[in-house]
Amino acid sequence: MKLEGRKLFRSQIARDLACLLDVNPAVTSWVCMPTTLQVNGQPYIPDFAVFNDSNDVTLADAGDRHDPDRDIEAAARRAGWNYRCVSREEIYEGYRLRNARDLLRYADYAIPLGDRVRLLAALDEHSSLTVAECISSFREGNPMAILAAMILHGFLDVELDETPIGPETSIRRIR
């Protein structure tokens, strides 16, 4: 969703990290394999450049690239970048990745205006609703697809870390 440019993933763990970047509200966009650094005299291409809502840019690698013998962070700093290696544990802990994959299936779904307005009005009235309650308000399109697309497009907030998204999951409006 937030990818700028071509999809080009070095590994499955890098692809999984990209899913997490797409559902991170602080990330505005990201680019695959954005630049080449010189690390100990050798070329090195990080997995991503991640742009956030405070206009900071960080080069990021998935955790399978961690190599304490290579001074990637120092090379990134010399080139004017921030750098972060996201550990396997951070990528795979909890339910965030599973929920992100479930939601991203619907990234390109067109949200019918009537359903969007109806749900946002209900959330204005009740402050939060469960997934089951939200689904019953849709009349024009695929209820789960609409709900997922509204979450991905920043209309709604849902807890992604605690449990898999289910009928009892709480949905709130983002203002």
Side-chain angles (χ1 to χ4, degrees), residues 92-127:
Y92 294 109
E93 74 182 353
Y95 293 95
R96 181 168 284 270
L97 180 59
R98 178 179 172 186
N99 286 329
R101 286 179 179 155
D102 286 344
L103 292 171
L104 287 167
R105 292 181 50 220
Y106 302 105
D108 293 328
Y109 192 82
I111 304 165
L113 177 61
D115 283 341
R116 183 179 75 221
V117 169
R118 202 170 1 281
L119 180 57
L120 294 176
L123 286 166
D124 283 345
E125 186 176 328
H126 298 284
S127 76

Side-chain angles (χ1 to χ4, degrees), residues 28-157:
T28 56
S29 63
W30 52 273
V31 177
C32 290
M33 299 187 177
T35 191
T36 302
L37 300 172
Q38 288 300 313
V39 178
N40 301 328
Q42 299 293 317
Y44 181 86
I45 301 172
D47 290 326
F48 305 106
V50 181
F51 302 83
N52 69 27
D53 53 7
S54 60
N55 295 321
D56 291 328
V57 182
T58 300
L59 296 179
D61 277 328
D64 61 335
R65 292 192 88 175
H66 179 69
D67 184 351
D69 295 331
R70 298 184 73 182
D71 198 5
I72 301 164
E73 187 171 358
R77 262 195 316 264
R78 281 192 303 275
W81 300 89
N82 297 314
Y83 175 80
R84 180 162 184 251
C85 186
V86 182
S87 71
R88 281 181 179 276
E89 293 76 25
E90 190 175 344
I91 293 169
Y92 294 109
E93 74 182 353
Y95 293 95
R96 181 168 284 270
L97 180 59
R98 178 179 172 186
N99 286 329
R101 286 179 179 155
D102 286 344
L103 292 171
L104 287 167
R105 292 181 50 220
Y106 302 105
D108 293 328
Y109 192 82
I111 304 165
L113 177 61
D115 283 341
R116 183 179 75 221
V117 169
R118 202 170 1 281
L119 180 57
L120 294 176
L123 286 166
D124 283 345
E125 186 176 328
H126 298 284
S127 76
S128 75
L129 297 169
T130 65
V131 167
E133 291 167 330
C134 290
I135 286 175
S136 68
S137 72
F138 298 127
R139 292 183 177 78
E140 298 175 42
N142 174 332
M144 203 61 238
I146 296 167
L147 190 61
M150 288 182 71
I151 292 166
L152 290 170
H153 291 282
F155 292 103
L156 306 175
D157 183 42

